[in-house]
Amino acid sequence: MAKKSVFICQGCGYESPKWQGKCPDCGNWNSFIEEETNSLRSVIKSKKTKKNTPLKLSEIQTTKKDRILTQIEELDRVFGGGIVKASLTLIGGAPGIGKSTITLQMASYLAPNYKVLYISAEESASQLKMRAQRLGINSENIYILIENRFEVIAETLNDIKPDIVIVDSVQTIYLEEIKSTPGSITQLREITFKFMNYSKRYNFTTIMIGHITKDGAIAGPKVLEHMVDTVLYFEGDKNGYLRVLRSIKNRFGATNEIGIFEMMSKGLKEVKNPSLLFVSLGKEKTPGSALIPIMEGTRPIMIEVQALIIKTEYQIPKRTIVGFDQKRISMLLAILDKYLHLKFATSDVFVNIVGGLKVDETAVDLGVMAALISNFLDVALPSSVAFIGEVGLNGEVRGVTFIENRVKELEKLGIKEVVIAQNNLKPLENLKMAIKITTLSQITDLMRFINLS
Ligand SMILES: [Zn+2]
């Protein structure tokens, strides 16, 4: 095959015959690197394509995919109910967040029933052994291979015939026949393609670790995310104890599912009842704090939002928003100004989620506004009331999706009252629940509720 040299953007995989300062596709600067490529596309093209005859829809058999269970609920959920056999998963995350820890723990959960090959090019065998000892892992069924040349790995795959292959990390493995450096687009593409092919040939399931760059993408490319079946991101503050495993792409299940873990000295521990992690129930609330049940994938989780408003000492008042979309909060402040005449123009506003989660849904509007009003008026909200609702630009309170799941979670946690939109009441009417339901239709009603309670 003819080898040719091209310039490839390391951010998005855009190819160009010439070097360019700025990538016309993703806009990155200085991202082009010259790579010698017997391009993957030409490999695919050169294969003879077998002609498929069309089938009637009614004739097509659905195959229920075989799944591998780790028996760790938080993990199995993120994979959409277990890992699909012979699939390829990419786990991304910032350095030091605990990707190697979670994959090694996964290896130990799977080892009783499956043969696991752990390929590391990042650590030495003794480093890995020490890590395993710290985590209390010792299994006859886990094989460790310290290697970064794919050609050697391929021989091992043939010798050992593992059920599960863990690659730590995809950026460090390379094919000798390709001149590009490890971690370059061409290498990443070819390595991923090789693992895909081999997993079909030997029927093993692959989990690859990928490092994330400072701008939050898996180092190297989106290209990789398109190729694999499942993409998970491992998030959290390196210095905190909370970790979230989030599915970004899943060919075999819902995306945006999350698994929540705590980083302990002996490794990651699943958090089975996350609501209790993010709120302190039963405590008297201070002015500016409100409870909101949010949805993470298909699961409701209760969070506590806190707002603080103080007179500004600056020319332009500060807006410090953690965990929410800044623009959304600005909009809510404008609505409070317009319909409730609460003026924030000379105040600094801080809004924060306790526990460090990030929320991206409009169902939190009502709760955030309740927290803002509460702090503004210096009136604490009742300690056992939660808020659910979207608020529109005309000050109207709107219903949200999954209202039943959210309210059921509140009921489970023993919350006494929930404030929702009037038009969200219908699906709740026939549920037998102890929780008191209060409905609103305008944001002015929220003000009344806070003043009365
Ligand atoms: Zn690019």
Side-chain angles (χ1 to χ4, degrees), residues 18-54:
K18 299 195 308 278
W19 186 85
Q20 302 195 43
K22 186 185 178 190
C23 173
D25 199 18
C26 69
N28 275 349
W29 284 92
N30 295 322
S31 60
F32 281 91
I33 284 181
E34 185 172 17
E35 295 190 31
E36 203 174 79
T37 165
N38 43 358
S39 160
L40 183 61
R41 248 157 287 150
S42 61
V43 178
I44 296 169
K45 264 189 217 151
S46 66
K47 278 196 188 140
K48 280 247 160 46
T49 38
K50 201 170 95 222
K51 197 173 154 231
N52 278 325
T53 40

Side-chain angles (χ1 to χ4, degrees), residues 66-69 75-84 250 252-253:
D66 277 341
R67 289 188 186 259
I68 296 166
L69 294 176
L75 268 177
D76 290 339
R77 179 191 304 104
V78 177
F79 279 98
I83 311 165
V84 168
N250 191 348
F252 314 109

Side-chain angles (χ1 to χ4, degrees), residues 327-343:
K327 286 201 190 94
R328 189 83 198 167
I329 303 288
S330 299
M331 195 191 96
L332 299 181
L333 290 172
I335 295 168
L336 288 172
D337 182 319
K338 173 86 180 177
Y339 298 99
L340 300 179
H341 313 292
L342 304 179
K343 303 291 174 195

